[in-house]
Amino acid sequence: ITRLEMMPRSIPVMHALLLLAALCAPRFAYRAVHEHRLQLPKGKQVPVLLVGATADAESFIRESARSPSFAYRVVGIVATEGSMVGRNIHHVRVFGGLQDIPAILRKLKRRDDAPQRIIIADPYLEGDHIRMILELADKEGVAMARMPQLSDLTRGDRDKFDVRPIDVEDILGRPQTKLDLAAMKEVITNKAVLITGS
């Protein structure tokens, strides 16, 4: 009736700020808990070191933080590109390049966050690099695996993050050649063969 003559002019501003806080605070709180930005118990997740600061690595980290039942917890990332070193992906540090893997493992071990597995997250990593990482992992006593490529996922396969063992094809950098055993048998049957090399 009085056209709000007795109401202070600050009321609309205060009302807008309080309304904004009331609407946004529950959403932020939900996302903080859901994405595990708060210090929640780690559970029994296996600590892993990712190789490759890729989109697949980002999805892997996000899923590990989002789902308490996820099998793995990413403790560090190894970059395949120098420009990524020193950055963070979802609060996980990119420590260094491929040549720094032994130093990274020692650093994480001092933090009581020693990875139990090295997971290749870069589908385009060359066979020579995979072989080098495999030798380092074997020397350090750490298991090694890789994330599946899109071509590996079957129709209806919902578990994108089901890591797989390293295959011969990964080290060769090409599909494994299938031997023609019948032709080989024909070449050496009833013949003395000298094999050299390995």
Side-chain angles (χ1 to χ4, degrees), residues 7-164:
M7 183 176 289
R9 298 296 184 261
S10 59
I11 289 294
V13 177
M14 294 170 59
H15 180 265
L17 293 174
L18 287 171
L19 184 61
L20 183 67
L23 288 172
C24 294
R27 294 169 184 252
F28 284 130
Y30 172 78
R31 289 301 296 269
V33 174
H34 192 63
E35 299 284 349
H36 288 241
R37 296 292 178 260
L38 302 180
Q39 295 299 319
L40 298 179
K42 293 178 180 178
K44 295 184 179 180
Q45 295 174 314
V46 177
V48 298
L49 180 68
L50 293 185
V51 176
T54 62
D56 287 342
E58 187 271 336
S59 299
F60 190 92
I61 296 167
R62 184 158 25 91
E63 187 65 24
S64 69
R66 178 180 296 171
S67 174
S69 60
F70 197 74
Y72 306 103
R73 174 173 55 87
V74 182
V75 296
I77 304 171
V78 176
T80 52
E81 297 179 8
S83 60
M84 293 298 296
V85 176
R87 298 187 181 183
N88 290 306
I89 300 178
H90 293 299
H91 304 283
V92 179
R93 183 82 170 171
V94 181
F95 286 106
L98 297 175
Q99 70 280 359
D100 302 318
I101 289 179
I104 293 170
L105 291 174
R106 288 194 297 271
K107 188 175 194 177
L108 291 170
K109 194 172 184 179
R110 286 196 298 270
R111 295 183 180 181
D112 292 329
D113 242 348
Q116 297 178 17
R117 185 171 293 187
I118 296 175
I119 298 178
I120 305 293
D122 186 350
Y124 302 108
L125 197 63
E126 296 179 357
D128 291 341
H129 291 150
I130 294 178
R131 193 180 304 112
M132 179 192 76
I133 298 169
L134 190 60
E135 291 174 0
L136 289 172
D138 186 55
K139 185 178 179 181
E140 298 289 337
V142 180
M144 189 170 164
R146 71 173 179 89
M147 290 175 57
Q149 299 180 16
L150 290 177
S151 58
D152 296 337
L153 299 176
T154 59
R155 188 181 182 90
D157 187 355
R158 302 168 75 180
D159 194 357
K160 179 183 176 183
F161 305 110
D162 181 20
V163 299
R164 318 281 171 88

Side-chain angles (χ1 to χ4, degrees), residues 178-189 191:
K178 293 186 178 180
L179 301 177
D180 187 348
L181 298 179
M184 292 169 63
K185 183 177 180 182
E186 186 178 341
V187 169
I188 64 173
T189 299
K191 295 178 182 176

